[in-house]
Amino acid sequence: MQDNIGTRVFGKNLENQAEKASKNLKSKKDTTLDELGGKENIINDAIWTKEGLNKLDSPQLVSLYQQEIYEFLYEKEKSMGEPNFQMSSTKINDTMRATTVRYIVKLIRCFNLKPETLFQTVDLMDQTIPLLNPEIGELELVSLTCLFIASKYEEIYPPPLAALLRATDIKAKDVIEMEKEILNKLNFNVISDNTLVWLQLIGEILGYNCKYTDQIKQRCMSLAETSLTSSLFLNHKKSVIALNIFMAVEMNLGSQKTQFKWERLTQHQKPSNESKTLKLLTYILKIK
């Protein structure tokens, strides 16, 4: 137990690292514009809202093919069967995972990265933990490596590795080695249909009351980020999480404000009020 004290990846030590990184980057803001996402923001602002959802006039919406994409992703998720993530079979417990995810969230905001990068990073980490079964002291390395991989896929200007490691004792060569191991274990299949993908797609299909757009999107993204932190959502299909998020928001704001058109969903049904996922999300909204 004494061996892990210096490299602990949960608790106060880890929580303070993102703050330290943020201060270091801000002090060098004039010379490291790319590391802070300066160029990226110009592009992101034209495509994404602050809540991480597509703007209505964004070409990335490909609204003409929304239904086909929806049906394809549904069949793909269905063919994969039910998620079966057993945290108890690994050396990482729920508290360690939750603290690490919060650390990643802070880094994402520190570097001004896209919501896609956050959701992809956490999904990669959750896929990697059962495959590698890392020691407690290796979890920080695994999470930062997943962030490094995800940012290269999702960002136009990903932060340099040296910037990601600035507030840690991790060496770049260790990240490169871990990157090779993760990619080989996953057969380079690192892009997944995570909760945000489903949230954006289902949101555009359901539609919503434009008068309350900001309230709806803020609540949806807040619940989506919360679902990343809690291991209670690990064994739920991502589409089911997204559906229950919209249902929870509808119950919170009222159907007159949201005006979701549930009948547009051809592959899913409107979540039941007795859904355990829905009850959990509704409770989270009440205490926020």
Side-chain angles (χ1 to χ4, degrees):
M1 189 70 182
Q2 293 297 320
D3 294 336
N4 286 330
I5 292 178
T7 56
R8 212 162 56 124
V9 295
F10 57 95
K12 192 172 182 180
N13 289 351
L14 182 59
E15 292 288 347
N16 289 336
Q17 286 185 8
E19 298 295 335
K20 182 179 177 182
S22 177
K23 290 178 181 178
N24 286 342
L25 285 173
K26 286 178 180 177
S27 66
K28 300 184 179 182
K29 187 172 182 180
D30 293 336
T31 58
T32 57
L33 183 61
D34 289 355
E35 293 177 13
L36 288 169
K39 294 180 181 178
E40 184 80 8
N41 289 340
I42 298 174
I43 299 170
N44 287 347
D45 290 345
I47 298 174
W48 308 102
T49 65
K50 291 181 179 180
E51 292 76 29
L53 300 179
N54 296 91
K55 287 187 175 180
L56 293 178
D57 57 350
S58 167
Q60 293 192 1
L61 276 178
V62 287
S63 54
L64 184 64
Y65 305 104
Q66 276 181 1
Q67 191 61 35
E68 287 86 346
I69 294 171
Y70 168 58
E71 292 173 1
F72 171 78
L73 292 181
Y74 173 80
E75 291 300 329
K76 181 182 175 183
E77 186 181 58
K78 185 179 178 181
S79 67
M80 295 174 68
E82 294 295 326
N84 186 28
F85 186 92
Q86 299 294 331
M87 183 69 74
S88 59
S89 64
T90 71
K91 299 169 186 174
I92 308 301
N93 62 36
D94 294 347
T95 302
M96 297 172 191
R97 179 190 173 276
T99 304
T100 303
V101 172
R102 287 194 293 270
Y103 170 51
I104 293 299
V105 170
K106 286 185 177 181
L107 284 178
I108 292 288
R109 289 172 179 166
C110 171
F111 288 97
N112 222 356
L113 304 180
K114 296 193 295 187
E116 275 78 2
T117 305
L118 168 61
F119 283 80
Q120 189 59 55
T121 298
V122 176
D123 200 67
L124 269 176
M125 189 178 75
D126 288 336
Q127 292 181 65
T128 300
I129 289 175
L131 293 174
L132 299 184
N133 195 13
E135 299 289 341
I136 296 173
E138 296 176 320
L139 186 55
E140 183 184 12
L141 172 61
V142 170
S143 62
L144 283 171
T145 304
C146 290
L147 174 57
F148 183 53
I149 295 171
S151 65
K152 288 193 290 184
Y153 270 87
E154 299 290 354
E155 304 290 333
I156 298 175
Y157 295 95
L161 180 55
L164 290 177
L165 302 180
R166 187 169 290 152
T168 73
D169 296 325
I170 297 174
K171 297 179 181 178
K173 65 178 183 179
D174 295 330
V175 175
I176 300 301
E177 289 302 315
M178 180 59 71
E179 181 183 25
K180 292 177 184 177
E181 190 171 358
I182 291 174
L183 292 176
N184 283 323
K185 286 288 185 180
L186 295 175
N187 293 318
F188 287 80
N189 295 320
V190 299
I191 299 300
S192 60
D193 306 320
N194 54 59
T195 305
L196 184 59
V197 172
W198 280 106
L199 198 69
Q200 292 173 338
L201 181 60
I202 291 176
E204 296 303 331
I205 293 175
L206 287 178
Y208 44 79
N209 187 347
C210 295
K211 185 178 179 180
Y212 298 97
T213 296
D214 291 341
Q215 293 183 47
I216 293 170
K217 290 184 176 180
Q218 286 171 4
R219 283 169 170 74
C220 284
M221 283 304 297
S222 176
L223 287 176
E225 285 195 10
T226 302
S227 73
L228 292 179
T229 308
S230 175
S231 59
L232 295 173
F233 294 96
L234 284 175
N235 287 319
H236 291 72
K237 288 185 176 181
K238 306 303 183 184
S239 63
V240 173
I241 295 174
L243 282 168
N244 280 278
I245 285 174
F246 283 110
M247 188 64 187
V249 171
E250 181 175 270
M251 293 175 67
N252 181 258
L253 292 176
S255 58
Q256 292 298 318
K257 286 187 177 181
T258 56
Q259 296 182 11
F260 295 143
K261 299 175 179 61
W262 294 99
E263 68 278 4
R264 291 182 178 178
L265 296 175
T266 58
Q267 306 298 325
H268 292 94
Q269 292 183 345
K270 185 177 179 178
S272 166
N273 290 344
E274 299 303 314
S275 165
K276 292 182 179 179
T277 308
L278 178 59
K279 289 181 179 179
L280 178 59
L281 290 167
T282 305
Y283 172 74
I284 292 171
L285 265 182
K286 285 181 180 179
I287 63 177
K288 278 186 174 293

